[in-house]
């Protein structure tokens, strides 16, 4: 096994922000560990996928709570992820329907990575996932992109969820340029219908996946809320219907969907599917796309049926 051919047993490396979600609802205030990449790492662990998280946690009380939560979920931190200072926060305000709007107070840097051996980072995962604020907010965004380029050189499969937060990530023009560059490195790019509207304007889901494929993604996905999702490669596309559930709130639904997609990729690697066949789309025929989409929609449906970002276990998802 060469450095350019990571073992599928290496699991998944998630890179991105961890923060404290402060939820303001008609019932009062509550705090929970959050952040899209962190939620994805927890979702992967619950689905039985080996995962590590490269993040930025403060040494304050909130940072301790998040670190303890990750440990209890079975998500080890890459060394250096805990740094001096405060922990980032995101305040979600829920309306009467359970939909969330967000306000962020974020510090994001991966400066400590320069002091770590290269092999301790990009060789950790056969799959590397990232997205959300971490991909756009400097100085960490540039450091993250450098790590992704190193991972791509080592033939890791990269998955990317922009998870657009307009109030913090900057202009549409600059953000679209980031999406373009990271999509060119990625095997999978997933956007929500809201992300797509902000990035591309009024396009149909089919036109959105066409744009993402043109940017370089092998598998482009648009999630459509209660209407399900569209998954597309250069040769096939599959629409997966939504699941009818009683919605508690929508927090973490997209992250749960993303965890399920990554878990399915990892399962394909473990079953002996060649990573190169996934990277170029040859192993992603209609039946595989349908399987990925149906599993991911089911995981998201379970998550929205209960309060907060509470992704399912593998047993719950399979049931």
């Amino acid at each position: 096994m060469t450095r350019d051919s990571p073992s599928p047993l290496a699991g998944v490396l998630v890179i991105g922000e961890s923060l404290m979600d402060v939820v303001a609802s008609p019932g009062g205030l509550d705090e929970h560990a959050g952040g899209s990449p962190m939620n994805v790492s927890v979702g992967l662990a619950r689905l039985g996928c080996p995962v590590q998280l490269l993040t930025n946690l403060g040494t304050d009380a909130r940072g301790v709570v998040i670190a303890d939560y990750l440990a209890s979920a079975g998500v080890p931190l890459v060394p250096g992820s805990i740094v001096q200072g405060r922990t980032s926060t995101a305040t979600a305000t829920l309306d009467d329907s359970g939909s969330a709007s967000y306000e962020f107070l974020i510090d994001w840097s991966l400066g400590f990575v320069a002091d770590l051996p290269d092999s301790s980072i990009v060789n950790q995962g056969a799959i590397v996932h990232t997205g959300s604020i971490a991909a756009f907010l400097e100085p960490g965004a540039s450091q993250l992109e450098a790590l992704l380029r190193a991972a791509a050189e080592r033939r890791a499969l990269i998955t990317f969820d922009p998870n657009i937060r307009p109030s913090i990530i900057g202009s549409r023009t600059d953000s679209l340029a980031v999406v373009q560059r990271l999509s060119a490195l990625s095997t999978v790019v997933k956007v929500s219908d809201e992300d797509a509207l902000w990035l591309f304007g009024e396009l149909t889901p089919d036109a959105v996946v066409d744009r993402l494929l043109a940017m370089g993604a092998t598998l482009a996905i648009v999630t459509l809320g209660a209407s399900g999702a569209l998954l597309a490669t250069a040769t096939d596309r599959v629409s997966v219907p939504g699941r009818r559930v009683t919605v508690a709130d929508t927090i973490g639904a997209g992250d749960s969907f993303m965890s399920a997609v990554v878990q399915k990729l990892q399962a394909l690697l473990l079953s002996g599917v060649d990573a190169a066949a996934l990277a170029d789309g040859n192993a992603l025929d209609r039946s595989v796309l349908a399987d990925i989409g149906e599993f991911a929609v089911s995981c998201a449906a379970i998550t929205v049926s209960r309060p907060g970002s509470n992704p399912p276990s593998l047993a719950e998802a399979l049931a």
Side-chain angles (χ1 to χ4, degrees):
M1 186 72 66
T2 69
R3 291 185 69 203
D4 288 342
S5 302
S7 167
L9 298 175
V12 179
L13 173 65
V14 177
I15 308 175
E17 74 271 6
S18 298
L19 47 82
M20 187 63 76
D21 276 328
V22 183
V23 181
S25 69
L29 292 176
D30 201 3
E31 292 195 3
H32 300 280
S36 175
M38 193 216 71
N39 290 339
V40 171
S41 71
V42 171
L44 283 164
R46 291 190 181 179
L47 293 174
C49 189
V51 59
Q52 295 188 74
L53 177 63
L54 173 59
T55 190
N56 188 322
L57 278 179
T59 51
D60 57 359
R62 283 172 167 159
V64 171
V65 170
I66 295 173
D68 288 346
Y69 170 69
L70 288 166
S72 68
V75 180
L77 292 171
V78 173
S81 292
I82 298 176
V83 299
Q84 290 293 325
R86 67 172 182 83
T87 296
S88 299
T89 59
T91 300
T93 301
L94 303 181
D95 62 22
D96 291 337
S97 70
S99 294
S101 59
Y102 294 88
E103 181 180 356
F104 300 94
L105 186 59
I106 308 290
D107 292 320
W108 173 241
S109 173
L110 292 171
F112 65 88
V113 168
D115 298 325
L116 299 176
D118 177 70
S119 61
S120 73
I121 302 297
V122 296
N123 285 346
Q124 291 293 333
I127 301 172
V128 178
H129 172 76
T130 194
S132 194
I133 296 164
F136 301 94
L137 188 64
E138 297 292 359
S142 294
Q143 298 156 347
L144 166 63
E145 185 171 336
L147 285 176
L148 294 182
R149 292 189 182 282
E153 289 175 359
R154 286 156 179 77
R155 308 297 191 266
L157 301 179
I158 295 172
T159 63
F160 173 45
D161 177 5
N163 197 23
I164 297 296
R165 304 300 186 195
S167 64
I168 193 172
I169 66 171
S171 74
R172 175 188 173 277
T173 299
D174 290 344
S175 299
L176 190 57
V178 171
V179 172
Q180 172 82 56
R181 293 197 305 272
L182 298 192
S183 295
L185 297 172
S186 299
T187 300
V188 180
V189 180
K190 188 272 286 183
V191 298
S192 69
D193 48 1
E194 293 178 347
D195 296 336
L197 179 62
W198 192 83
L199 285 168
F200 307 123
E202 295 281 356
L203 293 180
T204 66
D206 280 292
V208 171
V209 295
D210 286 340
R211 285 288 298 272
L212 295 174
L213 293 171
M215 287 180 174
T218 299
L219 170 57
I221 303 173
V222 181
T223 58
L224 303 168
S227 298
L230 174 66
L231 296 84
T233 66
T235 56
D236 290 294
R237 60 189 60 195
V238 171
S239 293
V240 178
R243 302 287 185 270
R244 186 179 296 276
V245 296
T246 300
V247 176
D249 62 54
T250 61
I251 296 173
D255 301 328
S256 181
F257 186 103
M258 193 73 237
S259 298
V261 171
V262 176
Q263 192 268 359
K264 281 293 186 180
L265 291 179
Q266 177 71 1
L268 288 168
L269 290 175
L270 291 172
S271 73
V273 174
D274 184 64
L278 289 175
D280 62 22
N282 288 338
L284 297 170
D285 60 21
R286 286 184 60 84
S287 64
V288 173
L289 295 182
D291 182 54
I292 292 171
E294 289 165 5
F295 183 65
V297 165
S298 294
C299 288
I302 293 170
T303 302
V304 302
S305 72
R306 47 203 196 189
S309 181
N310 186 6
S313 67
L314 183 58
E316 289 174 317
L318 293 177

